[in-house]
């Protein structure tokens, strides 16, 4: 399958065999998923479906995800080769056919001999047609099934140009053998080989770029599976042994040490530690884990040592559910029918009908066979859908280039076209609205000496690798606080850190930890109320003490990006509702939503929750989803348009339709404005292309010949070229569109 129209054709054919509710077709993976109720009839159903799809112009085979991925990559490489060959041959053809117009040298035996001139163009056009023959196969197949698409438009236009070029070449040879110089001169200007080759090469370029995007997206699933370790340590018969992941069964006790990736879903039965769950929740701050808590595969134990009783392995783990959601979302993503596909469904049959009627009418009127062919083929040539075929790709090409200039990578024409109709802008919090990194936001000292408080905290946190400790150290360095060396360092996972230094015994952590270390003096009432206030604002609060006295509190949070508030405001100006989806707690989610003006928010979400909410909102209107983490991948794939922050994970970027390389959510607004401008341009292009055809086709058919008005094929060719030039020039105007602010 090569486009959204192909998906629709496959769906229609398959549903006749399998029923309306049992079929899902994916352009991303070039696959069809069929739900079978009766396993006994599976082979019969497969055989019937294969025959039906073959009749519709498509092949069918059973394949694994891995083989589909390899097939997709192989198809892209083949497409790239075909494109390169097409470009080289078409360039040579354009040199021969039009080089003389700009005084490019051409050997005299070619330029002075019309027969050689025509024959060389035909010979150069044939390889381009053979290389891109799939457009003819798919286009005419769709046409014969009475469901013409963009490929049908391309096939009709290229065929008309090539066939008439052959006719003109034959007439040149006839004139040469009969010494009829007038006939030779007349048809020497009626060669349209370059038109046939050019449109095939241009469309092939667009298809290859889209194929590359699809191949990268389908590879994202494989990258997820690679995140799990190959082996794990399991306790069996009182010994720790290393086994492959496939050998672990439910009930096994898995040993996880500091820095290791948790290989299974299960429950902690011994030990405690801090787990980085950002893969699943998207939150950058590790979660404290102890006996009785659940842990998930692919999360990392950043500190501590735990024993996990295995509850889920293989396809049942959280990571496998994400992979399943990703494949399912990609398969069932809203199907897009391009504007040009819709137009071609009407335009192609209409042009063919007019051509046939023209031939019949002139035959009835007694015209000779040459004139009948001239008028009927003139209709096809003058309506050759170069302008119609260029209407979308040229606008999309300029639009994507404009996006790239602004740090917005748009992977497909569908994404660029459909951003213009987004109703709901769904967004992750951490790393998307926020910086994705904990920072010190508040330093609250009971005695007003913030530097003294920060120095004590720095002394205690300097030896820790915890993200909260890193935030404190970064702030201390920023304010040029000197580092005080210490000894007798003690870290209690989930509680706090203490150390003896030259400025006294320092401690950072929970209030109960400080009290257990003898820090009983200080303004505890003020400190506890300050901690409560910070926590109500969605921040993490840590208590700091020195020499038995509590000094104050440090507030740490993932701060908003500088332009987040402005970006949400700009979305509202575009009439788009902003909805935040986060794995963080209710307090933090509410605080972030309020501070940046988010309309709605959902907290404590798992990847499958985000995907489900996207699915629900998609029923109410077109959804865009912005995110940066692996946990966002299923939602990015499920949304009508997935938008990835450029600094995000590779999997998220591969699953997205749009990548914001400057890591600014405000660029999503620019992408939406660019989409609206591009769609306007496409509609304008189609209008002018159709207007040109509406005026020229009747004249080409000879409707006004009795009034002395007719169009020669030379003029028809010029008119066709002029319409294409108008479309290209109109598309180039997109380079100067303002997308920085609402106009």
């Amino acid at each position: 399958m090569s486009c959204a129209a192909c998906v629709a054709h496959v769906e229609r054919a398959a549903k006749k065999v399998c029923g309306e509710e049992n079929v899902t077709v994916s352009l991303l993976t070039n696959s069809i998923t069929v739900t079978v109720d009766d396993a006994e009839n599976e082979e019969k159903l497969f055989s019937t479906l294969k025959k039906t799809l073959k009749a519709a112009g498509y092949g069918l085979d059973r394949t694994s995800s891995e083989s589909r991925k390899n097939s997709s990559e192989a198809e892209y490489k083949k497409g790239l080769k075909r494109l390169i060959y097409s470009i080289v041959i078409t360039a040579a053809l354009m040199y021969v056919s039009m080089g003389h117009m700009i005084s490019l040298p051409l050997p005299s035996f070619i330029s002075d001999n019309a027969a050689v001139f025509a024959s060389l163009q035909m010979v150069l056009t044939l390889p381009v047609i053979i290389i891109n023959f799939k457009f003819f196969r798919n286009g005419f197949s769709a046409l014969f099934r009475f469901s013409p698409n963009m490929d049908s438009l391309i096939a009709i236009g290229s065929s008309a140009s090539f066939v008439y070029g052959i006719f003109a070449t034959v007439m040149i040879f006839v004139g040469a053998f009969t010494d009829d110089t007038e006939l030779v001169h007349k048809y020497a200007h009626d060669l349209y080989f370059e038109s046939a080759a050019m449109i095939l090469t241009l469309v092939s370029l667009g298809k290859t770029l889209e194929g590359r995007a699809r191949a990268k997206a389908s590879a994202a699933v494989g990258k997820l599976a690679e995140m799990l370790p190959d082996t794990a340590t399991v306790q069996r018969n009182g010994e720790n042994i290393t086994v492959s992941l496939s050998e672990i069964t439910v009930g096994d006790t898995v040993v996880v040490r500091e820095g290791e990736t948790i290989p299974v879903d299960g429950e902690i039965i011994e030990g405690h530690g801090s787990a980085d769950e950002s893969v699943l929740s998207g939150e950058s701050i590790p979660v404290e884990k102890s006996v009785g808590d659940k842990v998930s595969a692919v999360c990392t134990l950043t500190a501590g040592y735990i024993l996990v009783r295995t509850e889920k392995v293989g396809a049942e783990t959280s990571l496998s559910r994400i992979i399943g959601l990703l494949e399912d979302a990609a398969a069932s993503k809203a199907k897009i029918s391009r504007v040009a596909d819709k137009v071609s469904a009407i335009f192609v049959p209409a042009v063919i009908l007019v051509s046939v009627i023209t031939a019949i009418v002139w035959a009835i009127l007694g015209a000779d066979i040459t004139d009948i062919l001239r008028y009927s083929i003139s209709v096809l040539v003058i309506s050759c859908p170069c302008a119609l075929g260029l209407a979308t790709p040229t606008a999309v090409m300029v639009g994507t280039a404009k996006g790239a200039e602004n740090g917005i990578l748009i992977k497909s024409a569908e994404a660029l076209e459909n951003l213009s109709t987004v109703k709901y802008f769904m967004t992750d919090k951490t790393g998307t609205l926020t910086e994705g990194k904990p920072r010190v936001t508040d330093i609250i000292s009971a005695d007003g000496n913030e530097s003294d408080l920060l120095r004590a905290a720095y002394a205690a946190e300097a030896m820790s690798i915890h993200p909260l400790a890193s935030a404190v150290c970064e702030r201390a360095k920023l304010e040029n606080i000197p580092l005080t060396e210490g000894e007798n360092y003690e870290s209690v996972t989930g509680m706090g850190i203490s150390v003896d230094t030259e400025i006294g015994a320092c401690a950072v952590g929970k209030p109960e930890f400080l009290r257990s270390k003898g820090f009983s003096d200080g303004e505890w009432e003020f400190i506890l109320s300050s901690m409560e206030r910070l926590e109500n604002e969605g921040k993490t609060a840590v208590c700091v003490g020195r020499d038995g006295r509590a000094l104050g509190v440090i507030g740490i949070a993932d701060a908003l990006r500088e332009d987040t508030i402005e970006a949400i405001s700009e979305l509202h100006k575009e009439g788009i509702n902003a909805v935040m989806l986060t794995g963080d707690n209710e307090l933090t989610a509410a605080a972030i939503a309020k501070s940046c003006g988010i309309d709605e928010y959902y907290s404590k979400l798992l990847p499958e929750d985000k995907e489900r909410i996207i699915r629900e909102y998609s029923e109410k209107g077109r959804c865009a989803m912005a995110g940066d983490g692996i946990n966002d991948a299923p939602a990015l794939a499920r949304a009508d348009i997935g938008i990835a922050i450029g600094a995000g994970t590779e999997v998220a970027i591969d699953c997205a339709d749009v990548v914001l390389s400057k890591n600014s959510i405000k660029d999503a607004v620019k992408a939406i404005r660019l989409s609206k401008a591009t769609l306007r341009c496409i509609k304008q292009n189609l209008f002018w292309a159709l207007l040109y055809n509406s005026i020229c086709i009747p004249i080409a058919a000879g409707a006004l010949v009795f009034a002395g008005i007719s169009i020669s094929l030379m003029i028809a060719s010029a008119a066709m070229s002029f319409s294409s030039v108008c479309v290209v020039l109109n598309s180039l105007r997109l380079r100067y569109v303002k997308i920085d602010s609402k106009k």
Side-chain angles (χ1 to χ4, degrees):
M1 298 182 295
S2 61
C3 66
C6 293
V7 174
H9 295 155
V10 170
E11 274 189 338
R12 278 199 298 270
K15 284 178 178 178
K16 291 177 182 177
V17 177
C18 308
E20 288 289 328
E21 303 298 326
N22 301 327
V23 176
T24 304
V25 181
S26 171
L27 180 60
L28 174 67
T29 57
N30 265 299
S31 66
I32 181 171
T33 304
V34 179
T35 304
V36 181
D37 296 325
D38 186 358
E40 294 181 2
N41 292 322
E42 181 181 343
E43 284 301 323
K44 182 180 178 181
L45 178 65
F46 177 78
S47 178
T48 305
L49 184 60
K50 186 170 184 176
K51 290 177 182 177
T52 303
L53 292 182
K54 185 177 180 181
Y58 302 91
L60 180 69
D61 199 3
R62 285 192 178 93
T63 57
S64 65
S65 296
E66 184 62 27
S67 63
R68 285 202 303 271
K69 172 189 170 186
N70 294 335
S71 174
S72 178
E73 291 174 350
E75 184 60 33
Y76 165 67
K77 289 177 181 177
K78 286 181 184 177
L80 185 60
K81 272 187 182 179
R82 288 195 295 264
L83 174 63
I84 293 170
Y85 293 147
S86 293
I87 290 173
V88 171
I89 298 170
T90 302
L93 174 60
M94 296 299 289
Y95 181 90
V96 171
S97 63
M98 295 186 174
H100 62 280
M101 295 181 183
I102 52 175
S103 302
L104 289 177
L106 198 64
S108 58
F109 76 90
I110 296 175
S111 58
D112 296 341
N113 190 319
V116 174
F117 182 66
S119 299
L120 181 58
Q121 290 186 50
M122 184 173 65
V123 168
L124 287 171
T125 304
L126 271 171
V128 180
I129 289 176
I130 294 169
I131 290 168
N132 297 284
F133 192 72
K134 65 175 184 176
F135 293 121
F136 297 90
R137 183 177 60 248
N138 297 340
F140 284 118
S141 174
L143 187 63
F144 295 147
R145 294 193 308 272
F146 303 105
S147 53
N149 57 12
M150 193 64 193
D151 285 353
S152 304
L153 210 60
I154 295 159
I156 288 288
S158 297
S159 297
S161 297
F162 185 70
V163 169
Y164 191 81
I166 292 175
F167 172 73
T169 302
V170 170
M171 297 306 292
I172 289 171
F173 272 95
V174 170
F177 282 117
T178 59
D179 291 326
D180 188 343
T181 55
E182 185 179 342
L183 186 65
V184 171
H185 181 74
K186 176 181 177 181
Y187 283 99
H189 295 286
D190 286 350
L191 299 171
Y192 301 108
F193 294 119
E194 75 283 351
S195 295
M198 181 57 75
I199 192 168
L200 288 171
T201 302
L202 279 174
V203 174
S204 180
L205 172 62
K207 297 284 187 183
T208 302
L209 292 175
E210 289 178 17
R212 179 175 179 269
R214 284 204 305 275
K216 288 196 71 176
S218 61
V221 175
K223 291 173 185 173
L224 276 176
E226 294 170 3
M227 295 184 65
L228 282 172
D230 296 324
T231 60
T233 304
V234 178
Q235 282 190 352
R236 288 180 182 166
N237 302 320
E239 294 183 5
N240 289 350
I241 59 172
T242 301
V243 300
S244 67
L245 225 55
S246 60
E247 294 179 60
I248 300 177
T249 59
V250 173
D252 277 342
T253 299
V254 178
V255 179
V256 186
R257 304 175 183 86
E258 185 173 319
E260 291 183 345
T261 299
I262 300 171
V264 296
D265 285 8
E267 181 181 331
I268 298 176
I269 57 175
E270 185 180 320
H272 58 268
S274 300
D276 179 357
E277 297 183 331
S278 58
V279 169
L280 300 179
S281 69
E283 302 313 310
S284 55
I285 298 176
V287 179
E288 305 302 331
K289 298 287 185 178
S290 58
V291 174
D293 289 335
K294 303 287 185 181
V295 291
S296 300
V298 89
C299 296
T300 302
L301 191 70
T302 56
Y305 174 91
I306 57 175
L307 299 182
V308 180
R309 183 173 60 240
T310 303
E311 295 180 342
K312 294 178 182 178
V313 295
E316 299 299 318
T317 63
S318 301
L319 181 64
S320 295
R321 288 202 308 274
I322 291 179
I323 293 173
L325 284 169
L326 189 57
E327 290 181 326
D328 178 59
S332 59
K333 196 167 184 177
K335 312 304 184 299
I336 298 150
S337 180
R338 294 190 192 175
V339 177
D341 279 333
K342 294 177 181 177
V343 171
S344 66
I346 301 170
F347 178 76
V348 173
V351 168
I352 294 173
L353 184 61
V354 171
S355 179
V356 171
I357 291 173
T358 299
I360 293 171
V361 169
W362 281 108
I364 293 172
L365 293 175
D368 61 42
I369 187 64
T370 302
D371 286 335
I372 291 172
L373 283 174
R374 177 185 292 276
Y375 287 124
S376 61
I377 293 179
S378 288
V379 170
L380 294 176
V381 170
I382 203 166
S383 63
C384 175
C386 291
L388 203 57
L390 291 172
T392 297
T394 53
V396 168
M397 198 178 298
V398 178
T400 50
K402 173 77 173 179
E405 289 174 9
N406 287 270
I408 304 165
L409 173 61
I410 301 171
K411 295 183 180 181
S412 69
E414 288 91 342
L416 183 59
E417 290 177 32
N418 286 278
L419 270 167
S420 63
T421 53
V422 167
K423 184 177 180 181
Y424 297 102
F425 187 86
M426 324 295 282
T427 175
D428 175 45
K429 177 182 72 68
T430 306
T432 305
L433 297 177
T434 65
E435 295 178 355
K437 181 181 179 182
R439 295 189 182 279
V440 172
T441 57
D442 302 84
I443 301 175
I444 303 173
S445 173
D447 59 9
N449 192 339
E450 294 182 359
S451 296
D452 193 34
L453 171 68
L454 191 56
R455 186 178 184 187
Y458 187 22
E461 300 277 35
M463 296 181 66
S464 174
I465 60 171
H466 196 284
L468 296 182
S470 299
V472 171
C473 295
E474 186 177 320
R475 179 61 178 270
K477 291 174 184 176
L478 190 64
E479 297 193 9
N480 297 316
I481 301 295
L483 174 62
T484 306
E485 299 294 335
E487 56 184 8
N488 299 325
Y489 175 83
E490 182 184 3
S491 174
V492 179
T493 303
M495 295 299 293
I497 296 171
S498 64
V499 63
D500 293 332
T501 72
E502 61 183 32
I503 61 172
C506 300
V508 176
K510 294 181 178 179
E512 50 267 38
F513 174 76
L514 266 69
R515 283 178 169 149
S516 70
K517 292 295 180 181
F519 291 79
S520 54
D521 293 339
E523 301 290 338
W524 275 107
E525 186 175 341
F526 170 76
I527 290 170
L528 293 175
S529 65
S530 297
M531 290 186 74
E532 183 179 2
R533 177 176 61 80
L534 291 174
E535 288 168 354
N536 286 336
E537 293 174 358
K539 300 173 182 177
T540 300
V542 293
C543 191
V544 182
R546 190 187 68 222
D547 281 340
R549 180 180 180 82
L551 301 179
V553 180
I554 292 178
I556 303 171
D558 186 7
L560 283 175
R561 292 182 181 274
E562 290 182 1
D563 55 3
T564 292
I565 295 174
E566 185 181 355
I568 299 301
S569 174
E570 292 295 318
L571 282 171
H572 289 154
K573 290 179 183 177
E574 295 291 336
I576 298 170
N577 297 318
V579 182
M580 184 176 72
L581 310 178
T582 178
D584 213 338
N585 61 69
E586 169 70 18
L587 282 174
T588 302
I592 293 292
K594 183 179 179 182
S595 62
C596 60
I598 292 284
D599 301 302
E600 301 174 68
Y601 70 89
Y602 297 84
S603 60
K604 301 179 72 174
L605 300 178
L606 294 175
E608 53 261 45
D609 297 323
K610 291 185 178 182
E611 187 269 347
R612 172 182 52 78
I613 291 171
I614 291 286
R615 196 170 351 118
E616 291 171 356
Y617 271 82
S618 292
E619 294 176 0
K620 299 187 287 184
R622 184 156 285 158
C623 285
M625 170 67 191
D628 71 322
I630 292 171
N631 65 305
D632 299 317
L636 289 169
R638 173 69 68 180
D640 297 307
I641 303 101
I643 302 174
I645 300 297
T649 61
E650 191 173 355
V651 171
I653 290 171
D654 285 346
C655 289
D657 304 296
V658 178
V659 179
L660 309 179
S661 62
K662 294 181 181 177
N663 306 322
S664 170
I665 195 69
K666 192 177 176 183
D667 285 343
V669 187
K670 293 182 182 179
I672 291 170
R673 289 177 182 143
L674 179 61
S675 171
K676 290 181 177 180
T678 303
L679 198 62
R680 282 196 303 272
C681 183
I682 290 171
K683 290 178 179 178
Q684 290 165 358
N685 288 346
L686 290 171
F687 170 78
W688 289 113
L690 291 172
L691 180 64
Y692 149 80
N693 279 291
S694 300
I695 295 171
C696 293
I697 287 176
I699 302 175
L704 301 179
V705 72
F706 298 107
I709 301 173
S710 64
I711 295 180
S712 70
L713 285 172
M714 183 175 174
I715 295 174
S717 176
M720 183 182 68
S721 300
F722 179 73
S723 67
S724 298
V725 169
C726 287
V727 164
V728 172
L729 291 177
N730 188 53
S731 297
L732 289 174
R733 290 191 307 110
L734 282 172
R735 292 186 300 181
Y736 308 104
V737 169
K738 300 288 185 183
I739 60 175
D740 293 322
S741 59
K742 179 128 179 104
K743 298 293 183 184

